[in-house]
Amino acid sequence: MRLQVREQGDEVYIEVSGVAGRHQRVLQALTECSRGPCGIGGEPTLQPQDVSVRAGADEIKIRLKGRGGLRFEPLAIYRCMRHALIEERAAPIAGAAVPAA
């Protein structure tokens, strides 16, 4: 999975390729990240009118445009999405046994 986040003017563009049918997980991660640092906090600050989504077979493109003075931080979004989508998947499962050789 490849994640790119960039800012252009007052909009933030998120592109995730290699999703292979995990589009819903990408949107779930974005929602979690909008609640604060890596999902910690209360209600999401992201509203439906702030988001535009285009999905292909193996990619998803998301455009965020804050309204009413809301500004999205691309670096914070990147770090949180990377943690939620990539690092959590790569982390070893606690208590998993490794077969002896």
Side-chain angles (χ1 to χ4, degrees):
M1 191 177 295
R2 185 169 158 241
L3 171 67
Q4 287 185 305
V5 179
R6 65 183 168 84
E7 184 175 30
Q8 186 174 346
D10 62 347
E11 299 177 341
V12 173
Y13 294 88
I14 303 166
E15 295 182 22
V16 186
S17 58
V19 294
R22 296 180 301 238
H23 298 80
Q24 192 60 37
R25 177 63 192 120
V26 172
L27 295 174
Q28 179 184 2
L30 180 62
T31 301
E32 290 168 5
C33 290
S34 76
R35 290 191 170 122
C38 285
I40 300 169
E43 290 300 309
T45 56
L46 195 61
Q47 300 299 316
Q49 62 269 24
D50 299 330
V51 184
S52 173
V53 178
R54 285 186 12 210
D58 198 35
E59 70 178 8
I60 187 167
K61 296 180 180 184
I62 304 167
R63 179 182 60 93
L64 304 177
K65 181 172 176 71
R67 299 188 197 317
L70 179 63
R71 185 176 181 281
F72 297 104
E73 293 293 331
L75 184 57
I77 291 170
Y78 174 81
R79 287 179 176 163
C80 187
M81 297 275 297
R82 178 180 166 85
H83 176 76
L85 296 172
I86 299 167
E87 293 170 3
E88 280 186 0
R89 293 195 61 209
I93 300 171
V98 177

